[in-house]
Each structure stands twice: as structure tokens, then as C-alpha cells.
Amino acid sequence: MIEDYEHYEAVVVGAGPGGAAAAATLARNGIETLVLERGVEAGAKNVSGGLIYAEESAPYTIDSLFPDFREEAAERPITSYNIHNVADEKVKSFDITRLHEHDTEWSDAVLRRKMDSWLADQVHEMTSETGGGLLTGVRVNGLLRENGEIVGVTCDELDPIKADFIVAADGVNSELARDAGLMNWDEPEEWFQGVKAVIDMPEDVIADRFDVGSDTGEAHLFSGNLFDDVRGGGFLYTNQDSLSIGTVFHLDSLVAEEAEPHRLLDNLLTHPLLAQWLNGHYDEVEYSAKLVPDSKKAAHPAPHRGRLVLVGDAGGQMQAQGPIIKGMNHAVSAGALAAEAFAEARMRGDSEKAGRLYEKKLKDEGVMGKLRPRQYRTLGKLGENEQLAGLTDSLLSSPIGRAVLRSGAMEKQLERLYSSPFLSSMIPDTKTPYVTLPTVIAEELGTEIEDENEVEPKSLADRIGDLTYDTDVGNPHIRLRNDSYEASGAAVSACPVSAKDFGGGCYREETVQMNGHEEKIVSLDTQPCVECGTCAIVAETEWEHPRGNKGVEFKQG
């Protein structure tokens, strides 16, 4: 029967920037391409911070593939980049625009629903001309195999589809990458978790409060002691008529500190520093969350198997190295290079070599070098030695360390150090750069913020209630394998829509009577799920995407 299945030269799974770049490049090479997207519309399932970069050294940029992109799909150019070191109500800020502009042609703030849906329109038109097209509401649930070889994809809503080339651009929770054995969810230290609030704000208020024009915008990063010792930080990006404010933390640190993501976001939203921007104009319109791969550890060096290639988050291609936060641009490069590799292999009459050619292109074009920088492998990991990290923190917090930071010469150097691409690429994953150093900098060099922040963030219940869901009754996409607190309790606090002492989220902690004694267990309700995948890593669960059009639908993203 497998011979009777519909066949395309190429199938692209996922219509985000990586999938769009792959599909556009395939279509331009005259390749019959079908794009499958599980959301009700492209972007309905996607979340980013988010800034998209066009790097001068990149083999492809989004506007080189879609010339009208910036005018039609982006929010606002980001022309100023700042980092704020926080210790209670003292703050020391540095302008690190020089780092932001390194190797940068341009950078824009984006919202994924608007961006991805526009890209999808362009892609559908392009792929239709080669005999394919774009279908939404279709969940690809696995790989089709024949005699053990990958020959296509299987779907919930359609019969299996055969293809000569398969691009997995299905995001950080890629079911195709897992099915092929190329990615797993075993190591929390390989992942970040981000949560975000989109704040509605009139364009003229943004112009006034951030002192920006229609063609300028700002990005702000936050670190220090406002996040309860969790490794990571916060961000604020100016959109056209809204703000994206969020936090991103190492997942293993969230679990270790038993921190609740929504509360850490609230720590940022209510800090006095943000009063200058938010007071009188706080209107939170959407709460969202996602996993983020740490490319230093998760970027697959050979992201292919047979006819399958991985691009973007599906291949771990998200660069988060200190203040350097880049992902969508790498997905674009990877998607286009993958398509280019297949077009070249096909032209030579050996399309089976496309995966190996794609791997070579990622390396030769410098993409893999950015995702897995040599500096981190040779030097950054040294700083993660537990004893060395402890000594470094002790030294920074000591009277000698504080005296050095207070010196005029060191203060002048700090901004320069923060702006160094070389140093950013070798930052160790310890509390030192995220918590200890910024806290001491703020304590010794910072200024007391005297503003009173009037913001009252929404409750977690309201945030969940304001989201749009099409619950797939009778078809839960998450199942608990082990409901003991020891096995699955970490999800109660780590899940972005769950919390201790909150009964309305996904994961809940309960005490029950069992065989004459009390036991603490975890229960699960998938209805309020934002599909980030956190619980797949920190709890004993069976996790898959909901069927097409089902589950959460982001209106901002």
C-alpha cells in the first residue's frame, strides 16, 4: 500500500522562519514542495522573544528570501541595546549596542503570529507554483519508513505522505527529530525556558517613554538578584504598539531552585526600574512560554538522517550566549542551506547525499561555529567546575573583589567587556555571570531607583483564562507515567501555567490517603497547557503535540 501514498519531492514540516526559508528556497529551485503546519494559522503555535537579526556574515537573511519582510512582517528596528545589573532597588546600566551591532546588518523586533502568517502567505504562493502548497491544521506525528528507511511522514489528519526530502522545522519539541533518534529530552541543563507577556501600549506612548522614532527601537536585558538566584535574566523589546517583556532561565536552575516562572516574570514587571516605562500604561494582552535549546550543548553537529534534515529549534540551533540571543536568523540560514543542499544533490542525481551536504554547508558557512563556539568548548566549560565557580563567586563578593569593581579604571572597562562578542561566546553556565557579578556591580556602582512601580501583574488564573484554547476533549497530548512527587513534582513549579498552592494549572501537587498512610502525588490537567514541553524534561510524562488546530492558539506569539 505504501506505493499508493501521495508523493512530493519535498515536505517541510512547520511554517516558522526555518520552514519558510527552506520552502522558499526549494520552490525557487523548481522543487515540488508541500508545507504542513499544525496551527490554525502559521504563528498560532509559535513564541519568541523576539528579535530577528540579519547578520552580515550569514549565507542567507530573511529579507534576502522575502524582500518585503521588514515593511510587512516586522514590528520595529532595534537600534539601542542595554543591559541592567540589578541588586534590590539599585541598578547599574551599560549600553552594549556595540555588541548588538557586531556582524549585524539590521535587527527588528517581531511578533510571531503576524510574522509567520505573512511568511506563510508568501510561501503558499511560491510552493503552489511548483505543484505543492501550504496546509494548516495538520499535525505530522512521525516518520514513514519502508524497509527501515525514512521515506515520508505520517499525520493525524491525512494519509501518510512520501517525499524524497523532509525538512523538520517543527520546533523545539520536534517529534520528527525524536522519532529519528536525533534529539532527546533527557538533560535539563541543555535547555532554557522562556515566558513572556505582551503589553499593549500606544505607539505615541512608546515614542515618548523610550525616546524613539518610528524607525528606531530599544532592547533591554536584566540580570542580578531580582530572579531569586535562578540562572538567566529578563528582556524588554519595543514593538510597534506593544512591548514584549519576558524572562529566560536555564531549566535545570529553575528546577533546582523550585522557582515558578510566572512569579519570576512578575519580579521583573514590578521592579522600580520599569516604572518609567509601564506606570499608567500596563495592559497585558498575552502570556506565553516556550523551551529554548542551548545551542552550545544541544545544536546537533550532524542534523540529518536519511532523507530527513533538522532546521531551527528542531536541530537545537538557538544561540543564547550571555547577552547574545539569536535564533530565528540561524533557522533561516539553516532552512535555506538545507534546501540548497537538496537542490544540488538532486541536480547531481544523488538526492540521498543532501543531508551530508547540508551538514557541510552549516560548517563551511560558519553557522555551526556560532552555535557551538570553540571558545566555550575550550574555555567556558572550565568555569563550570563547581569548585572554581564557588571560588569566583567568593572572590567577587569579597572586599577585595568589590574594591576592584569600584575602581574607576574597572568601571570604564566593564561596558567594554559586556560588549565583547568573544567573551560573550565563552560565558560559563554558572550563577557568576547571571546573578553574582551583576548583583555586586549594582551594589558597588549602581544608583538607587526611587520610582514607585504601580504595576499589578495579572494572576496566573487570569493569564490562562485570557488565552485561546480549542481543547481536544478525549485526546490528551500529555500523560503521566509516574504520578509520584519524586518523579514528577518538579513540573508543579517549573510548568509556566502551574504553581504550588494553585489548583487551576496543568500540574498540581496533592496529598492522598494510600493504604493507610499519606502520599504526595502529582495530578495533571492538559486543558490550560501552553505546549512549551517543559514537563517532558522535568517530569515522567509521555508528551506529544495536540492534533491540528487543537490546544492553545497564540494571537501575538
Side-chain angles (χ1 to χ4, degrees):
M1 282 185 61
I2 199 167
E3 294 84 7
D4 298 329
Y5 293 143
E6 195 168 0
H7 176 274
Y8 288 86
E9 287 185 283
V11 168
V12 177
V13 182
T25 307
L26 289 165
R28 285 198 174 99
N29 281 278
I31 295 167
E32 179 190 45
T33 304
L34 177 67
V35 183
L36 301 174
E37 163 59 45
R38 69 186 177 90
V40 65
E41 181 182 56
K45 294 292 185 180
N46 297 341
V47 177
S48 70
L51 302 184
I52 187 166
Y53 283 80
E55 290 186 318
E56 294 169 351
S57 63
Y60 288 93
T61 62
I62 193 74
D63 60 327
S64 69
L65 297 170
F66 303 95
D68 297 330
F69 174 83
R70 299 189 72 192
E71 293 74 20
E72 299 293 337
E75 289 292 313
R76 181 188 291 270
I78 297 300
T79 53
S80 176
Y81 205 65
N82 307 275
I83 191 166
H84 306 281
N85 301 278
V86 179
D88 299 324
E89 297 186 359
K90 294 185 72 175
V91 177
K92 178 61 179 178
S93 303
F94 297 117
D95 183 337
I96 55 171
T97 304
R98 187 162 65 92
L99 175 65
H100 170 68
E101 293 178 344
H102 171 73
D103 194 28
T104 299
E105 187 177 330
W106 55 263
S107 173
D108 288 352
V110 295
L111 292 169
R112 291 296 296 275
R113 183 64 179 265
K114 173 184 172 181
M115 176 182 118
D116 290 12
S117 62
W118 182 85
L119 287 172
D121 288 343
Q122 317 310 306
V123 165
H124 180 61
E125 182 177 343
M126 297 168 72
T127 53
S128 294
E129 292 176 359
T130 63
L134 185 149
L135 296 177
T136 59
V138 177
R139 175 195 167 223
V140 174
N141 57 30
L143 294 165
L144 179 68
R145 289 178 171 86
E146 186 175 30
N147 299 323
E149 299 295 322
I150 297 169
V151 296
V153 297
T154 57
C155 313
D156 285 342
E157 295 77 17
L158 303 173
D159 288 337
I161 299 168
K162 295 183 68 177
D164 302 324
F165 186 58
I166 304 158
V167 178
D170 51 339
V172 69
N173 307 319
S174 173
E175 289 174 279
L176 297 186
R178 282 181 283 147
D179 191 350
L182 292 172
M183 294 283 278
N184 61 54
W185 285 346
D186 293 340
E187 307 297 337
E189 60 267 25
E190 293 183 354
W191 306 91
F192 299 90
Q193 183 209 74
V195 301
K196 183 180 78 170
V198 176
I199 312 302
D200 192 33
M201 185 173 286
E203 189 173 355
D204 61 328
V205 175
I206 292 176
D208 177 60
R209 298 206 169 182
F210 291 89
D211 192 24
V212 294
S214 59
D215 58 350
T216 58
E218 293 190 353
H220 296 267
L221 303 180
F222 308 87
S223 59
N225 70 358
L226 75 168
F227 298 123
D228 301 343
D229 281 348
V230 184
R231 302 195 323 273
F235 62 85
L236 181 157
Y237 304 140
T238 54
N239 302 317
Q240 186 174 342
D241 54 9
S242 66
L243 305 177
S244 292
I245 304 179
T247 52
V248 182
F249 299 104
H250 287 270
L251 184 56
D252 61 322
S253 184
L254 271 174
V255 171
E257 301 295 338
E258 297 185 5
E260 296 175 341
H262 73 285
R263 296 192 187 280
L264 298 181
L265 173 62
D266 290 347
N267 287 358
L268 175 59
L269 290 169
T270 59
H271 191 274
L273 179 63
L274 272 70
Q276 61 184 310
W277 300 311
L278 300 184
N279 276 358
H281 281 280
Y282 183 78
D283 180 13
E284 184 179 321
V285 295
E286 185 171 86
Y287 174 74
S288 58
K290 78 178 297 267
L291 278 182
V292 181
D294 182 352
S295 69
K296 301 189 303 295
K297 302 166 183 174
H300 202 297
H304 59 90
R305 179 151 297 167
R307 302 181 186 188
L308 175 74
V309 297
L310 313 180
V311 305
D313 278 358
Q317 296 165 346
M318 167 69 197
Q319 182 185 12
Q321 297 156 7
I324 298 176
I325 306 170
K326 297 178 178 179
M328 290 177 283
N329 58 307
H330 296 313
V332 168
S333 287
L337 289 173
E340 184 184 286
F342 177 69
E344 291 180 16
R346 172 177 170 263
M347 184 175 61
R348 297 171 188 168
D350 195 357
S351 59
E352 297 293 332
K353 290 185 177 178
R356 291 194 294 276
L357 184 54
Y358 168 53
E359 176 186 342
K360 184 175 186 299
K361 286 177 178 289
L362 286 174
K363 183 178 179 181
D364 292 348
E365 294 287 354
V367 177
M368 194 56 68
K370 295 172 185 175
L371 297 171
R372 284 183 171 267
R374 186 181 295 112
Q375 299 94 301
Y376 174 76
R377 296 199 305 272
T378 57
L379 296 173
K381 280 189 175 181
L382 291 176
E384 293 172 14
N385 175 277
E386 192 172 332
Q387 286 185 318
L388 181 59
L391 286 172
T392 302
D393 282 356
S394 297
L395 178 60
L396 286 170
S397 302
S398 70
I400 295 174
R402 291 173 180 274
V404 170
L405 283 176
R406 281 197 303 270
S407 67
M410 182 49 114
E411 182 174 354
K412 292 175 184 176
Q413 290 295 322
L414 282 170
E415 193 164 271
R416 230 156 126 204
L417 295 172
Y418 267 106
S419 295
S420 167
F422 180 83
L423 291 178
S424 293
S425 67
M426 54 182 280
I427 288 177
D429 290 337
T430 66
K431 286 185 179 179
T432 304
Y434 295 107
V435 181
T436 309
L437 177 60
T439 299
V440 174
I441 287 174
E443 288 172 344
E444 298 303 321
L445 304 176
T447 301
E448 193 89 21
I449 304 297
E450 297 181 354
D451 293 342
E452 185 176 338
N453 191 323
E454 302 167 358
V455 168
E456 294 184 10
K458 286 186 175 180
S459 67
L460 187 55
D462 286 341
R463 283 170 167 161
I464 295 171
D466 287 344
L467 288 168
T468 299
Y469 293 94
D470 185 354
T471 304
D472 200 0
V473 177
N475 291 286
H477 66 285
I478 310 172
R479 293 173 181 83
L480 273 172
R481 288 199 299 259
N482 186 332
D483 67 357
S484 70
Y485 193 80
E486 291 74 22
S488 300
V492 176
S493 58
C495 171
V497 289
S498 299
K500 293 183 178 180
D501 304 319
F502 174 62
C506 279
Y507 281 81
R508 302 163 190 177
E509 173 187 335
E510 297 179 306
T511 302
V512 298
Q513 292 289 333
M514 282 192 179
N515 302 320
H517 66 279
E518 289 187 343
E519 283 193 23
K520 191 154 59 169
I521 64 168
V522 172
S523 61
L524 171 65
D525 176 3
T526 64
Q527 292 187 67
C529 178
V530 289
E531 301 169 31
C532 65
T534 295
C535 60
I537 302 176
V538 304
E540 287 292 324
T541 64
E542 295 176 10
W543 198 103
E544 60 186 20
H545 289 116
R547 293 185 299 160
N549 292 342
K550 297 297 183 179
V552 70
E553 177 188 346
F554 294 115
K555 300 298 180 64
Q556 304 289 328

